[in-house]
Amino acid sequence: METTSSSRVGAQPADNPAAAEPPQSEQNPQATPPGSSQEGAAPVPAARRAAERFLAADFPWYGLDGAFTGPRRLMQVGTGADGSVEHGSVGHGDEPTARGEIATGEKERFAVVVTVAGNPNRRSGDGTGVLEATSVSSAAWLAGSGLLSYSWPQQMDHGLRDHWLDQQTEAAWELADDLTGPDWSTLSLPVDGEPTPFHYRESEFGWVLAGTTGRGVHLGAYGRGMSAYGLGFCAITDLATYE
């Protein structure tokens, strides 16, 4: 499968929240003398820091279209070795947790959309080599590994899950490298209002799909509790709509 120079398209998994940085300490108003240069200073909100990461990308981000009326949130941004943004994800619906359904008994309903920059073969930042292109398989891999990170098989303790996750992540990698294989079917969904073919598969943990837009980026998505068949995607015009 085609990937970037970072192992399997980026150094960070698709599932971690974008605002993973620890929050800055709040200023103590009594500790800052009046008239000082820090008077009135406040930490940058986590939501703003997350949005700044997304705004640094030179490609459009995608999410669910206006037919989805539930909560939206920014999640993870992945960067290459040179610091450029390569991919990222946004969440819709419930905030998923690895053991949410097992612990609460309530079925989570969520869908996460992953956008991957459509990079052709290009020179590495130091000019010493050529980086491989990203592809729809890259989006399938990120979506598949993202779903796994929010999955916890019943009757499995914490110690065994790490080993299980390693095995299943490798299997997701192999599946993403064979999108024409029997484990995948095709599904047509609207992207920016245009019918677009996607590779689609289901498992006991949820569903995964991947395709390519007309704007030069690849889309992956994964979810649980929400049917993929009724989804539509569109470019995000206002990141403020995502918490």
Side-chain angles (χ1 to χ4, degrees):
M1 176 176 32
E2 297 176 340
T3 61
T4 59
S5 58
S6 302
S7 177
R8 299 186 181 177
V9 197
Q12 303 117 345
D15 57 286
N16 294 338
E21 297 180 4
Q24 301 179 20
S25 300
E26 293 189 3
Q27 298 287 341
N28 182 347
Q30 296 181 349
T32 304
S36 69
S37 60
Q38 294 185 353
E39 184 177 4
V44 178
R48 186 187 304 172
R49 294 200 306 272
E52 288 173 352
R53 297 188 188 97
F54 279 81
L55 290 171
D58 60 359
F59 55 88
W61 295 104
Y62 274 79
L64 297 186
D65 61 20
F68 176 79
T69 58
R72 301 168 182 251
R73 70 189 62 86
L74 299 177
M75 295 179 67
Q76 177 79 6
V77 168
T79 58
D82 60 356
S84 62
V85 177
E86 293 188 336
H87 63 86
S89 56
V90 295
H92 308 78
D94 297 334
E95 189 164 358
T97 57
R99 300 195 70 173
E101 192 171 330
I102 296 176
T104 66
E106 297 180 1
K107 191 174 184 64
E108 295 175 332
R109 294 172 52 84
F110 68 88
V112 176
V113 180
V114 183
T115 307
V116 182
N119 291 323
N121 290 340
R122 62 209 190 279
R123 302 295 297 180
S124 60
D126 58 8
T128 60
V130 177
L131 306 182
E132 294 183 25
T134 56
S135 70
V136 66
S137 290
S138 307
W141 148 247
L142 287 169
S145 60
L147 178 63
L148 286 172
S149 67
Y150 290 124
S151 302
W152 195 305
Q154 298 187 33
Q155 312 301 326
M156 180 174 289
D157 62 28
H158 188 280
L160 291 176
R161 181 178 182 267
D162 289 342
H163 181 62
W164 172 87
L165 188 58
D166 288 341
Q167 291 181 322
Q168 295 300 311
T169 299
E170 185 63 31
W173 170 252
E174 295 174 356
L175 284 169
D177 202 27
D178 186 22
L179 294 177
T180 60
D183 294 292
W184 296 89
S185 60
T186 53
L187 179 64
S188 180
L189 296 172
V191 177
D192 293 325
E194 296 294 328
T196 302
F198 284 89
H199 301 277
Y200 175 78
R201 67 180 178 89
E202 293 182 358
S203 73
E204 60 181 306
F205 306 112
W207 51 263
V208 172
L209 58 81
T212 301
T213 77
R215 299 182 64 178
V217 298
H218 307 293
L219 290 187
Y222 61 93
R224 189 160 56 230
M226 294 173 58
S227 173
Y229 288 86
L231 300 182
F233 306 92
C234 67
I236 299 173
T237 57
D238 183 7
L239 286 174
T241 59
Y242 285 79
E243 300 175 1

